[in-house]
Amino acid sequence: MELRVAHLYPEVMNLYGDRGNAIALRARCQRRGIACTILPVNIGDPLDPGEVDIVLVGGGQDREQRRIAPDLLRRGPALRDAVDAGLPVLAVCGGYQLFGHRYVDHDGSVIPGIGVFDAETRHPGPVADRCIGDIVVETPFGEVVGFENHGGRTYLAPGQEPLGTVRLGRGNNAEDRTEGARRKNAIGTYLHGSVLPKNPALADALILAALRRRYGPSVELPPLDDAPERRAHEAALRTALARARRPV
């Protein structure tokens, strides 16, 4: 078996080491004998979402989001159709914001998104506190740990499923205890870190969804010895418990 992972804008959207998500997916595939090719997709590069198995996009500051937004908008209809057909996606921080409907900056300027998630992000203003620190989230994939650092507040529309519920940290908006968003096999999240190396169940959920989409629903993943990943997860959890503030 083989998988093809499209990594969108890897040179621009790589805040806090989000490139590690691609590395983690490839490593977990290779340990199981699954060939995994990472395909960097930069501004202007061709991409047919129907020809890849997973899409990744990382985080970036406002200027990076403005830089990629026109190119991402051009790809939006095809990406939405592919997500509706089951394409797994991991969109982190700035990428997550642009996979919603729009990001409204502190001065009221709008960066349009592609509407994969029924969500909008608004910046509360230059004097507002950033949502920054260690974060722990309860999700359908188990406990997920990471690091968040974002000024914008994301609000999910009624009926839009979050990734999970904040146990420690801020999450989407520091108000409603939601974190991230899910649409079929697409996941949006504010968790950097990078998130997948220390949350192997989340990584495997993306891999399994991709394999079943390509090879059929009977595919199963053989277990791995995740002792290093568990140690990384537990260390991040201890740090979060010691330092992160509880959601307001």
Side-chain angles (χ1 to χ4, degrees), residues 3-6 8 47-56 75-76 78-90 99 116-117 183-187 205-206 209-211 213-214:
L3 290 178
R4 297 156 296 184
V5 177
L8 303 186
L47 170 67
D48 180 354
E51 296 298 317
V52 298
D53 301 297
I54 300 175
V55 168
L56 300 178
R75 306 181 192 275
L79 284 168
R80 287 194 301 273
D81 288 346
V83 167
D84 285 339
L87 176 68
V89 172
L90 178 66
F99 270 60
V116 167
F117 304 116
R183 177 176 175 182
K184 294 198 171 181
N185 294 320
I187 294 171
L206 293 167
L211 290 172
R213 178 170 174 260
R214 189 170 198 201

Side-chain angles (χ1 to χ4, degrees), residues 3 5 24-36 54 204 207 211 224:
L3 290 178
V5 177
L25 288 177
R26 181 171 58 196
R28 294 188 71 78
C29 284
Q30 291 177 341
R31 289 167 63 191
R32 294 180 167 107
I34 302 167
C36 181
I54 300 175
D204 282 354
I207 294 169
L211 290 172
L224 296 176

Side-chain angles (χ1 to χ4, degrees), residues 12-13 15 43 60-70 98 103 105 111:
V12 180
M13 304 291 281
L15 195 63
I43 294 172
Q61 299 180 2
D62 291 3
R63 64 178 177 269
E64 282 83 22
Q65 291 177 250
R66 291 189 179 94
R67 181 178 170 189
I68 70 163
L98 293 187
Y103 172 68
D105 203 349
I111 306 175

Side-chain angles (χ1 to χ4, degrees), residues 86-185:
L87 176 68
V89 172
L90 178 66
V92 176
C93 199
Y96 166 38
Q97 292 174 348
L98 293 187
F99 270 60
H101 293 302
R102 65 192 64 82
Y103 172 68
V104 183
D105 203 349
H106 64 87
D107 61 2
S109 60
V110 176
I111 306 175
I114 63 174
V116 167
F117 304 116
D118 194 3
E120 176 179 286
T121 301
R122 302 189 293 273
H123 198 291
V127 299
D129 291 337
R130 292 184 67 81
C131 297
I132 181 170
D134 302 288
I135 181 170
V136 182
V137 184
E138 301 298 336
T139 82
F141 312 103
E143 179 184 74
V144 174
V145 296
F147 178 82
E148 59 180 338
N149 185 355
H150 54 102
R153 271 57 164 174
T154 297
Y155 297 90
L156 307 181
Q160 170 62 66
E161 184 178 10
L163 169 60
T165 301
V166 175
R167 175 181 168 195
L168 293 170
R170 301 288 191 89
N172 280 333
N173 50 54
E175 297 172 20
D176 60 17
R177 298 188 64 194
T178 65
E179 206 296 308
R182 292 178 62 203
R183 177 176 175 182
K184 294 198 171 181
N185 294 320

